[in-house]
Coordinates of all heavy atoms in Angstrom, one line a residue:
Chain W
N996 N -9.3 -12.6 -16.2 CA -9.6 -11.1 -15.9 C -9.7 -10.4 -17.2 O -9.5 -10.9 -18.3 CB -8.5 -10.5 -15.1 CG -8.4 -11.2 -13.7 OD1 -9.3 -11.4 -13.1 ND2 -7.1 -11.5 -13.4
V997 N -10.1 -9.2 -17.1 CA -10.2 -8.3 -18.3 C -8.8 -7.7 -18.5 O -8.2 -7.2 -17.6 CB -11.2 -7.1 -18.1 CG1 -11.2 -6.2 -19.3 CG2 -12.6 -7.7 -17.9
E998 N -8.2 -7.9 -19.7 CA -6.9 -7.5 -20.0 C -6.9 -6.5 -21.2 O -7.6 -6.8 -22.1 CB -6.0 -8.7 -20.3 CG -5.9 -9.6 -19.1 CD -5.1 -10.9 -19.5 OE1 -4.7 -11.0 -20.7 OE2 -4.9 -11.7 -18.6
Q999 N -6.1 -5.5 -21.1 CA -6.0 -4.5 -22.2 C -4.6 -4.3 -22.7 O -3.7 -4.4 -21.9 CB -6.6 -3.1 -21.7 CG -8.0 -3.2 -21.4 CD -8.6 -1.8 -21.1 OE1 -9.0 -1.5 -20.0 NE2 -8.6 -0.9 -22.1
S1000 N -4.5 -4.1 -24.0 CA -3.2 -3.9 -24.6 C -3.3 -2.9 -25.7 O -4.4 -2.9 -26.4 CB -2.6 -5.2 -25.0 OG -3.3 -5.8 -26.0
P1001 N -2.2 -2.1 -25.9 CA -1.1 -2.0 -25.1 C -1.4 -1.2 -23.9 O -2.4 -0.7 -23.7 CB -0.1 -1.2 -26.0 CG -1.0 -0.3 -26.8 CD -2.3 -1.2 -27.1
Q1002 N -0.5 -1.2 -22.9 CA -0.6 -0.5 -21.7 C -0.6 1.1 -22.0 O -1.4 1.8 -21.4 CB 0.5 -0.8 -20.7 CG 0.3 -0.1 -19.4 CD 1.5 -0.6 -18.4 OE1 2.1 -1.6 -18.6 NE2 1.7 0.2 -17.4
S1003 N 0.2 1.5 -22.9 CA 0.3 2.9 -23.3 C 0.7 3.0 -24.8 O 1.2 2.1 -25.3 CB 1.3 3.7 -22.4 OG 2.6 3.2 -22.6
L1004 N 0.3 4.1 -25.3 CA 0.5 4.3 -26.8 C 0.8 5.9 -27.0 O 0.1 6.7 -26.4 CB -0.7 3.9 -27.5 CG -0.7 3.6 -29.0 CD1 0.4 2.6 -29.3 CD2 -2.1 3.0 -29.4
H1005 N 1.8 6.1 -27.8 CA 2.1 7.5 -28.2 C 2.0 7.6 -29.7 O 2.8 6.9 -30.3 CB 3.4 7.9 -27.6 CG 3.8 9.3 -27.8 ND1 5.1 9.8 -27.5 CD2 3.1 10.3 -28.4 CE1 5.1 11.1 -27.9 NE2 4.0 11.4 -28.4
V1006 N 1.1 8.4 -30.2 CA 1.0 8.6 -31.6 C 1.0 10.1 -32.1 O 0.9 10.9 -31.2 CB -0.3 7.9 -32.2 CG1 -0.4 6.4 -31.8 CG2 -1.5 8.7 -31.6
Q1007 N 1.2 10.3 -33.3 CA 1.2 11.6 -33.8 C -0.2 12.0 -34.3 O -1.0 11.1 -34.7 CB 2.1 11.8 -35.0 CG 3.6 11.5 -34.7 CD 4.2 12.6 -33.7 OE1 4.5 12.3 -32.6 NE2 4.1 13.8 -34.2
E1008 N -0.5 13.3 -34.2 CA -1.8 13.8 -34.7 C -2.1 13.3 -36.1 O -1.2 13.4 -37.0 CB -1.8 15.3 -34.6 CG -3.1 16.0 -35.0 CD -3.1 17.5 -34.9 OE1 -2.1 18.0 -34.4 OE2 -4.1 18.1 -35.2
G1009 N -3.3 12.8 -36.3 CA -3.6 12.3 -37.6 C -3.5 10.8 -37.8 O -4.0 10.2 -38.7
D1010 N -2.7 10.2 -36.9 CA -2.5 8.7 -37.0 C -3.8 8.0 -36.5 O -4.5 8.5 -35.7 CB -1.4 8.3 -36.1 CG 0.0 8.6 -36.6 OD1 0.1 9.1 -37.7 OD2 1.0 8.5 -35.8
S1011 N -4.0 6.9 -37.1 CA -5.1 6.0 -36.6 C -4.6 5.0 -35.7 O -3.4 4.6 -35.9 CB -5.8 5.4 -37.8 OG -6.5 6.3 -38.6
T1012 N -5.3 4.6 -34.7 CA -4.8 3.6 -33.8 C -5.9 2.7 -33.3 O -7.1 2.9 -33.5 CB -4.2 4.4 -32.5 OG1 -3.5 3.5 -31.7 CG2 -5.3 5.2 -31.8
N1013 N -5.5 1.6 -32.6 CA -6.5 0.7 -32.1 C -5.9 0.0 -30.8 O -4.7 -0.2 -30.7 CB -6.9 -0.3 -33.1 CG -5.8 -1.3 -33.5 OD1 -5.5 -2.2 -32.9 ND2 -5.1 -1.0 -34.6
F1014 N -6.9 -0.4 -30.0 CA -6.5 -1.0 -28.7 C -7.3 -2.3 -28.6 O -8.3 -2.5 -29.3 CB -6.9 -0.2 -27.4 CG -6.8 1.3 -27.6 CD1 -7.7 2.1 -27.2 CD2 -5.6 1.8 -28.1 CE1 -7.6 3.5 -27.3 CE2 -5.4 3.2 -28.2 CZ -6.5 4.0 -27.8
T1015 N -6.8 -3.2 -27.8 CA -7.4 -4.5 -27.6 C -7.9 -4.7 -26.2 O -7.2 -4.3 -25.2 CB -6.5 -5.7 -28.0 OG1 -6.1 -5.5 -29.3 CG2 -7.3 -7.0 -27.8
C1016 N -9.1 -5.3 -26.0 CA -9.6 -5.7 -24.7 C -9.9 -7.2 -24.8 O -10.7 -7.6 -25.7 CB -10.8 -4.9 -24.4 SG -11.7 -5.4 -22.8
S1017 N -9.3 -8.0 -23.9 CA -9.6 -9.4 -23.9 C -10.3 -9.7 -22.6 O -10.0 -9.2 -21.5 CB -8.3 -10.2 -23.9 OG -7.6 -9.9 -25.1
F1018 N -11.3 -10.7 -22.6 CA -12.1 -11.0 -21.5 C -12.6 -12.4 -21.5 O -12.5 -13.1 -22.5 CB -13.3 -10.0 -21.4 CG -14.2 -10.1 -22.7 CD1 -15.1 -11.0 -22.9 CD2 -13.9 -9.1 -23.7 CE1 -15.9 -11.0 -24.0 CE2 -14.7 -9.2 -24.9 CZ -15.7 -10.1 -25.1
P1019 N -13.0 -13.0 -20.4 CA -13.5 -14.4 -20.3 C -14.7 -14.5 -21.2 O -15.7 -13.6 -21.0 CB -13.8 -14.6 -18.9 CG -13.0 -13.6 -18.1 CD -12.9 -12.4 -19.0
S1020 N -14.7 -15.4 -22.1 CA -15.9 -15.6 -23.0 C -17.1 -16.3 -22.4 O -18.2 -16.2 -22.9 CB -15.5 -16.2 -24.3 OG -14.9 -17.5 -24.0
S1021 N -16.8 -17.0 -21.3 CA -17.9 -17.7 -20.6 C -18.7 -16.7 -19.7 O -18.1 -15.8 -19.2 CB -17.3 -18.8 -19.7 OG -16.5 -18.3 -18.8
N1022 N -20.0 -16.9 -19.6 CA -20.9 -16.1 -18.8 C -20.8 -14.6 -19.2 O -20.9 -13.7 -18.4 CB -20.6 -16.2 -17.3 CG -20.7 -17.6 -16.8 OD1 -21.7 -18.3 -17.2 ND2 -19.8 -18.1 -16.0
F1023 N -20.6 -14.3 -20.5 CA -20.5 -12.9 -20.9 C -21.9 -12.3 -20.9 O -22.9 -12.9 -21.3 CB -19.9 -12.9 -22.4 CG -20.0 -11.5 -22.9 CD1 -19.0 -10.6 -22.6 CD2 -21.0 -11.1 -23.8 CE1 -19.0 -9.3 -23.2 CE2 -21.0 -9.8 -24.3 CZ -20.0 -8.9 -24.0
Y1024 N -21.9 -11.0 -20.5 CA -23.2 -10.3 -20.5 C -23.1 -9.0 -21.4 O -23.9 -8.7 -22.2 CB -23.6 -10.0 -19.1 CG -25.0 -9.5 -19.0 CD1 -26.1 -10.3 -18.9 CD2 -25.3 -8.1 -19.0 CE1 -27.4 -9.9 -18.9 CE2 -26.6 -7.7 -19.0 CZ -27.7 -8.5 -18.9 OH -28.9 -8.1 -18.9
A1025 N -22.1 -8.2 -21.1 CA -22.0 -6.9 -21.8 C -20.5 -6.4 -21.7 O -19.8 -6.8 -20.8 CB -22.9 -5.8 -21.2
L1026 N -20.1 -5.7 -22.7 CA -18.8 -5.1 -22.7 C -18.9 -3.6 -22.8 O -19.6 -3.1 -23.7 CB -18.0 -5.7 -23.9 CG -16.5 -5.4 -24.2 CD1 -16.2 -4.0 -24.6 CD2 -15.7 -5.7 -22.9
H1027 N -18.2 -2.9 -21.9 CA -18.3 -1.4 -21.9 C -16.9 -0.8 -22.2 O -15.9 -1.3 -21.8 CB -18.6 -0.9 -20.5 CG -19.9 -1.5 -20.0 ND1 -21.1 -0.7 -19.8 CD2 -20.2 -2.7 -19.5 CE1 -22.0 -1.5 -19.3 NE2 -21.5 -2.7 -19.1
W1028 N -16.9 0.3 -23.0 CA -15.7 1.1 -23.2 C -15.9 2.5 -22.6 O -17.0 3.1 -22.8 CB -15.4 1.3 -24.7 CG -14.7 0.1 -25.3 CD1 -15.3 -0.8 -26.1 CD2 -13.4 -0.2 -25.3 NE1 -14.4 -1.7 -26.5 CE2 -13.2 -1.4 -26.0 CE3 -12.2 0.4 -24.6 CZ2 -11.9 -2.0 -26.2 CZ3 -11.0 -0.2 -24.8 CH2 -10.8 -1.4 -25.6
Y1029 N -14.9 2.9 -21.8 CA -14.9 4.2 -21.2 C -13.7 5.1 -21.7 O -12.6 4.5 -21.9 CB -14.9 4.2 -19.7 CG -16.3 3.8 -19.1 CD1 -16.6 2.5 -19.0 CD2 -17.1 4.7 -18.6 CE1 -17.8 2.1 -18.4 CE2 -18.4 4.4 -18.1 CZ -18.7 3.1 -18.0 OH -19.9 2.7 -17.4
R1030 N -13.8 6.3 -21.7 CA -12.7 7.2 -22.0 C -12.6 8.1 -20.7 O -13.5 8.7 -20.2 CB -13.1 8.2 -23.1 CG -12.1 9.2 -23.5 CD -12.5 9.9 -24.8 NE -11.6 10.9 -25.2 CZ -11.6 12.2 -24.7 NH1 -12.5 12.5 -23.8 NH2 -10.7 13.0 -25.1
W1031 N -11.3 8.2 -20.2 CA -11.1 8.8 -19.0 C -9.9 9.8 -19.1 O -8.8 9.4 -19.2 CB -10.8 7.8 -17.9 CG -10.8 8.3 -16.4 CD1 -11.2 9.5 -16.0 CD2 -10.5 7.5 -15.3 NE1 -11.2 9.6 -14.6 CE2 -10.7 8.3 -14.2 CE3 -10.1 6.2 -15.1 CZ2 -10.5 7.9 -12.9 CZ3 -9.9 5.8 -13.7 CH2 -10.1 6.6 -12.7
E1032 N -10.3 11.1 -19.0 CA -9.3 12.1 -19.0 C -8.9 12.4 -17.6 O -9.7 12.3 -16.7 CB -9.8 13.4 -19.6 CG -10.0 13.3 -21.1 CD -10.5 14.6 -21.7 OE1 -9.6 15.6 -21.7 OE2 -11.6 14.8 -22.1
T1033 N -7.6 12.8 -17.4 CA -7.1 13.1 -16.0 C -8.0 14.2 -15.4 O -8.4 15.2 -16.0 CB -5.7 13.6 -16.2 OG1 -4.9 12.6 -16.8 CG2 -5.1 13.9 -14.8
A1034 N -8.3 13.9 -14.1 CA -9.0 14.8 -13.2 C -10.5 15.0 -13.6 O -11.2 15.9 -13.1 CB -8.4 16.2 -13.1
K1035 N -11.0 14.1 -14.5 CA -12.3 14.2 -14.9 C -13.0 12.9 -14.6 O -12.4 11.9 -14.2 CB -12.5 14.5 -16.4 CG -12.0 15.9 -16.8 CD -12.4 16.2 -18.2 CE -11.9 17.7 -18.6 NZ -12.3 18.0 -20.0
S1036 N -14.4 12.8 -14.9 CA -15.1 11.5 -14.7 C -14.9 10.6 -15.9 O -14.8 11.1 -17.0 CB -16.6 11.8 -14.6 OG -16.8 12.7 -13.6
P1037 N -14.8 9.3 -15.6 CA -14.8 8.4 -16.8 C -16.1 8.6 -17.6 O -17.2 8.7 -17.1 CB -14.8 7.0 -16.2 CG -14.2 7.2 -14.8 CD -14.6 8.6 -14.4
E1038 N -15.9 8.7 -19.0 CA -17.0 8.9 -19.8 C -17.4 7.7 -20.6 O -16.5 7.1 -21.3 CB -16.6 10.1 -20.8 CG -17.7 10.3 -21.9 CD -17.1 11.2 -23.1 OE1 -15.9 11.6 -23.0 OE2 -17.8 11.4 -24.1
A1039 N -18.6 7.3 -20.5 CA -19.1 6.1 -21.3 C -19.0 6.3 -22.8 O -19.5 7.3 -23.3 CB -20.5 5.7 -20.8
L1040 N -18.4 5.4 -23.5 CA -18.4 5.5 -25.0 C -19.4 4.5 -25.6 O -20.2 4.9 -26.4 CB -16.9 5.1 -25.5 CG -15.8 6.1 -25.2 CD1 -14.5 5.5 -25.6 CD2 -16.1 7.5 -25.9
F1041 N -19.2 3.2 -25.2 CA -20.1 2.2 -25.9 C -20.4 1.1 -24.8 O -19.7 0.8 -23.9 CB -19.3 1.5 -27.0 CG -18.8 2.4 -28.1 CD1 -17.4 2.5 -28.2 CD2 -19.6 3.2 -28.9 CE1 -16.9 3.3 -29.2 CE2 -19.1 4.0 -29.9 CZ -17.7 4.1 -30.0
V1042 N -21.6 0.5 -25.1 CA -21.9 -0.7 -24.4 C -22.4 -1.7 -25.6 O -23.1 -1.4 -26.5 CB -23.2 -0.6 -23.5 CG1 -23.5 -2.0 -22.9 CG2 -22.9 0.4 -22.4
M1043 N -21.8 -2.9 -25.5 CA -22.0 -3.9 -26.6 C -22.4 -5.2 -25.9 O -21.8 -5.6 -24.9 CB -20.8 -4.0 -27.5 CG -20.5 -2.8 -28.3 SD -19.1 -3.0 -29.4 CE -17.8 -3.0 -28.3
T1044 N -23.4 -5.9 -26.5 CA -23.8 -7.1 -25.9 C -23.8 -8.3 -26.8 O -23.6 -9.5 -26.4 CB -25.2 -7.0 -25.3 OG1 -26.1 -6.6 -26.4 CG2 -25.3 -6.0 -24.2
L1045 N -23.9 -8.1 -28.1 CA -24.0 -9.2 -29.1 C -22.8 -9.5 -29.9 O -22.1 -8.5 -30.3 CB -25.2 -8.9 -30.1 CG -26.6 -8.7 -29.5 CD1 -27.6 -8.3 -30.5 CD2 -27.0 -10.0 -28.7
N1046 N -22.5 -10.7 -30.1 CA -21.4 -11.1 -30.9 C -21.5 -10.4 -32.3 O -22.5 -10.5 -32.9 CB -21.3 -12.6 -31.1 CG -20.0 -13.0 -31.8 OD1 -18.9 -12.6 -31.5 ND2 -20.2 -13.9 -32.8
G1047 N -20.4 -9.7 -32.7 CA -20.4 -9.1 -34.0 C -20.9 -7.6 -33.9 O -20.9 -6.9 -34.9
D1048 N -21.3 -7.2 -32.7 CA -21.7 -5.8 -32.6 C -20.6 -4.8 -33.0 O -19.4 -5.1 -32.8 CB -22.0 -5.5 -31.1 CG -23.5 -5.6 -30.7 OD1 -24.3 -5.8 -31.7 OD2 -23.9 -5.5 -29.6
E1049 N -21.0 -3.7 -33.6 CA -20.1 -2.7 -34.0 C -20.8 -1.4 -33.6 O -22.0 -1.2 -33.9 CB -19.7 -2.7 -35.5 CG -19.0 -3.9 -36.0 CD -18.5 -3.7 -37.4 OE1 -18.5 -2.6 -37.9 OE2 -18.3 -4.8 -38.1
K1050 N -20.0 -0.5 -32.9 CA -20.6 0.8 -32.5 C -19.6 1.9 -33.0 O -18.5 1.7 -33.1 CB -20.8 0.9 -31.0 CG -21.8 -0.1 -30.4 CD -23.2 0.4 -30.6 CE -24.2 -0.6 -30.0 NZ -24.4 -0.4 -28.6
K1051 N -20.2 3.1 -33.3 CA -19.4 4.2 -33.8 C -19.9 5.5 -33.1 O -21.1 5.7 -33.0 CB -19.5 4.3 -35.3 CG -18.5 5.4 -35.9 CD -18.5 5.3 -37.4 CE -17.5 6.3 -38.0 NZ -17.5 6.3 -39.4
K1052 N -18.9 6.3 -32.7 CA -19.1 7.6 -32.1 C -18.1 8.6 -32.7 O -17.0 8.6 -32.2 CB -19.2 7.5 -30.6 CG -19.6 8.8 -29.9 CD -19.5 8.6 -28.4 CE -20.0 9.8 -27.6 NZ -20.0 9.6 -26.2
G1053 N -18.5 9.3 -33.7 CA -17.5 10.3 -34.3 C -16.5 9.4 -35.0 O -16.7 8.6 -35.8
Q1054 N -15.2 9.7 -34.6 CA -14.1 9.0 -35.2 C -13.6 7.8 -34.4 O -12.7 7.1 -34.7 CB -12.9 10.0 -35.3 CG -13.1 11.2 -36.2 CD -13.4 10.7 -37.6 OE1 -14.5 10.7 -38.1 NE2 -12.3 10.4 -38.3
I1055 N -14.5 7.4 -33.4 CA -14.1 6.3 -32.5 C -15.1 5.2 -32.9 O -16.4 5.4 -32.9 CB -14.2 6.6 -31.0 CG1 -13.3 7.8 -30.7 CG2 -13.9 5.4 -30.2 CD1 -13.4 8.3 -29.3
S1056 N -14.7 3.9 -33.0 CA -15.5 2.8 -33.2 C -15.1 1.6 -32.5 O -13.9 1.6 -32.0 CB -15.6 2.5 -34.7 OG -14.3 2.2 -35.2
A1057 N -15.9 0.6 -32.3 CA -15.6 -0.5 -31.5 C -16.3 -1.7 -32.0 O -17.4 -1.6 -32.6 CB -16.0 -0.4 -30.0
T1058 N -15.6 -2.9 -31.9 CA -16.2 -4.2 -32.4 C -16.2 -5.1 -31.2 O -15.4 -5.0 -30.3 CB -15.4 -4.8 -33.5 OG1 -14.1 -5.0 -33.2 CG2 -15.4 -3.8 -34.8
L1059 N -17.0 -6.2 -31.3 CA -17.1 -7.2 -30.2 C -17.1 -8.6 -30.8 O -17.9 -8.9 -31.7 CB -18.4 -6.9 -29.4 CG -18.6 -7.9 -28.3 CD1 -17.6 -7.8 -27.2 CD2 -20.0 -7.6 -27.7
N1060 N -16.3 -9.5 -30.2 CA -16.3 -10.9 -30.5 C -16.4 -11.6 -29.2 O -15.5 -11.8 -28.5 CB -15.0 -11.3 -31.2 CG -15.0 -12.8 -31.7 OD1 -15.5 -13.6 -31.0 ND2 -14.4 -13.0 -32.8
T1061 N -17.6 -12.1 -28.9 CA -17.9 -12.7 -27.6 C -17.5 -14.2 -27.6 O -17.2 -14.8 -26.6 CB -19.4 -12.7 -27.3 OG1 -20.1 -13.4 -28.3 CG2 -19.9 -11.2 -27.2
K1062 N -17.4 -14.8 -28.8 CA -17.0 -16.2 -28.9 C -15.5 -16.4 -28.5 O -15.2 -17.4 -27.9 CB -17.3 -16.8 -30.3 CG -18.8 -16.8 -30.6 CD -19.0 -17.4 -31.9 CE -20.5 -17.5 -32.2 NZ -20.8 -18.1 -33.5
E1063 N -14.7 -15.4 -29.0 CA -13.3 -15.6 -28.7 C -12.8 -14.6 -27.5 O -11.7 -14.6 -27.1 CB -12.4 -15.3 -29.9 CG -12.7 -16.4 -31.0 CD -11.9 -16.1 -32.2 OE1 -10.6 -15.8 -32.1 OE2 -12.4 -16.2 -33.3
G1064 N -13.8 -13.8 -27.1 CA -13.5 -13.0 -25.9 C -12.6 -11.8 -26.2 O -11.6 -11.6 -25.5
Y1065 N -12.9 -11.0 -27.2 CA -12.1 -9.8 -27.4 C -13.0 -8.7 -28.0 O -14.0 -8.9 -28.7 CB -10.9 -10.0 -28.2 CG -11.1 -10.4 -29.6 CD1 -11.3 -9.4 -30.6 CD2 -11.1 -11.7 -30.0 CE1 -11.5 -9.8 -31.9 CE2 -11.3 -12.1 -31.3 CZ -11.5 -11.2 -32.3 OH -11.7 -11.6 -33.6
S1066 N -12.5 -7.4 -27.8 CA -13.1 -6.2 -28.4 C -12.0 -5.3 -28.8 O -10.9 -5.2 -28.1 CB -14.0 -5.5 -27.4 OG -14.5 -4.3 -27.9
Y1067 N -12.2 -4.6 -30.0 CA -11.2 -3.7 -30.4 C -11.9 -2.3 -30.4 O -13.0 -2.1 -30.7 CB -10.8 -3.9 -31.9 CG -10.1 -5.2 -32.1 CD1 -10.4 -6.0 -33.2 CD2 -9.0 -5.6 -31.3 CE1 -9.7 -7.2 -33.4 CE2 -8.3 -6.8 -31.5 CZ -8.7 -7.6 -32.6 OH -8.0 -8.7 -32.8
L1068 N -11.1 -1.3 -30.0 CA -11.5 0.1 -30.1 C -10.5 0.8 -31.1 O -9.3 0.6 -31.0 CB -11.3 0.8 -28.7 CG -11.9 2.2 -28.7 CD1 -13.4 2.2 -28.6 CD2 -11.3 3.0 -27.5
Y1069 N -11.2 1.5 -32.1 CA -10.4 2.1 -33.1 C -10.6 3.6 -33.0 O -11.7 4.1 -32.8 CB -10.9 1.7 -34.5 CG -10.8 0.2 -34.8 CD1 -11.9 -0.6 -34.6 CD2 -9.7 -0.3 -35.4 CE1 -11.8 -2.0 -34.8 CE2 -9.6 -1.7 -35.7 CZ -10.7 -2.5 -35.4 OH -10.6 -3.8 -35.7
I1070 N -9.5 4.4 -33.2 CA -9.6 5.8 -33.4 C -9.0 6.2 -34.7 O -7.8 5.9 -35.0 CB -8.9 6.6 -32.2 CG1 -9.5 6.2 -30.9 CG2 -9.1 8.1 -32.4 CD1 -8.8 6.8 -29.7
K1071 N -9.8 6.8 -35.5 CA -9.4 7.2 -36.9 C -9.0 8.6 -36.8 O -9.7 9.5 -36.4 CB -10.5 7.0 -37.9 CG -10.1 7.4 -39.3 CD -11.4 7.1 -40.2 CE -11.1 7.5 -41.7 NZ -12.2 7.4 -42.5
G1072 N -7.7 8.9 -37.3 CA -7.2 10.3 -37.3 C -7.2 11.0 -36.0 O -7.9 11.9 -35.7
S1073 N -6.3 10.4 -35.1 CA -6.3 10.8 -33.7 C -6.0 12.3 -33.6 O -5.2 12.9 -34.4 CB -5.2 10.1 -32.9 OG -5.4 8.7 -33.0
Q1074 N -6.6 13.0 -32.6 CA -6.3 14.4 -32.3 C -5.8 14.5 -30.9 O -6.0 13.6 -30.1 CB -7.6 15.2 -32.5 CG -8.2 15.2 -33.8 CD -7.3 15.8 -34.9 OE1 -6.8 16.9 -34.7 NE2 -7.0 15.0 -35.9
P1075 N -5.1 15.6 -30.6 CA -4.6 15.8 -29.2 C -5.6 15.6 -28.2 O -5.4 15.1 -27.1 CB -3.9 17.1 -29.3 CG -3.5 17.3 -30.7 CD -4.6 16.7 -31.5
E1076 N -6.8 16.1 -28.5 CA -7.9 16.0 -27.5 C -8.4 14.5 -27.3 O -9.2 14.3 -26.4 CB -9.1 16.8 -27.9 CG -9.6 16.6 -29.3 CD -9.0 17.6 -30.3 OE1 -7.8 18.0 -30.1 OE2 -9.7 17.9 -31.3
D1077 N -7.9 13.6 -28.1 CA -8.2 12.2 -27.8 C -7.3 11.6 -26.8 O -7.5 10.4 -26.3 CB -8.1 11.3 -29.1 CG -9.1 11.7 -30.2 OD1 -10.3 12.0 -29.8 OD2 -8.8 11.7 -31.4
S1078 N -6.3 12.3 -26.3 CA -5.4 11.8 -25.3 C -6.2 11.6 -24.0 O -6.9 12.4 -23.5 CB -4.3 12.9 -25.0 OG -3.6 13.1 -26.1
A1079 N -6.2 10.3 -23.6 CA -6.9 9.9 -22.4 C -6.5 8.5 -22.1 O -5.8 7.8 -22.8 CB -8.4 10.0 -22.6
T1080 N -7.1 7.9 -21.0 CA -7.0 6.5 -20.8 C -8.3 5.9 -21.2 O -9.4 6.3 -20.8 CB -6.7 6.2 -19.3 OG1 -5.4 6.7 -19.0 CG2 -6.8 4.7 -19.0
Y1081 N -8.2 4.8 -22.0 CA -9.4 4.1 -22.5 C -9.6 2.8 -21.7 O -8.7 1.9 -21.7 CB -9.3 3.9 -24.0 CG -9.3 5.2 -24.7 CD1 -8.2 6.0 -24.8 CD2 -10.6 5.6 -25.3 CE1 -8.3 7.2 -25.5 CE2 -10.6 6.8 -25.9 CZ -9.5 7.6 -26.0 OH -9.6 8.8 -26.7

Side-chain angles (χ1 to χ4, degrees):
Chain W
N996 299 312
V997 177
E998 298 174 358
Q999 293 188 246
S1000 63
Q1002 182 177 342
S1003 62
L1004 198 54
H1005 182 186
V1006 301
Q1007 296 296 117
E1008 182 176 359
D1010 288 349
S1011 293
T1012 187
N1013 65 84
F1014 326 132
T1015 303
C1016 174
S1017 302
F1018 54 86
S1020 55
S1021 60
N1022 299 318
F1023 173 82
Y1024 192 86
L1026 189 287
H1027 303 250
W1028 280 101
Y1029 284 85
R1030 178 175 179 274
W1031 194 4
E1032 290 183 70
T1033 303
K1035 294 187 177 181
S1036 307
E1038 173 195 357
L1040 291 175
F1041 307 114
V1042 179
M1043 295 181 288
T1044 57
L1045 299 176
N1046 185 47
D1048 262 354
E1049 294 186 23
K1050 294 283 180 81
K1051 186 174 182 181
K1052 184 176 182 179
Q1054 297 299 100
I1055 304 176
S1056 60
T1058 61
L1059 178 65
N1060 183 322
T1061 61
K1062 294 183 179 180
E1063 297 182 42
Y1065 65 84
S1066 175
Y1067 294 137
L1068 187 79
Y1069 301 91
I1070 303 178
K1071 182 179 178 182
S1073 304
Q1074 300 297 308
E1076 53 266 32
D1077 293 324
S1078 298
T1080 296
Y1081 292 82

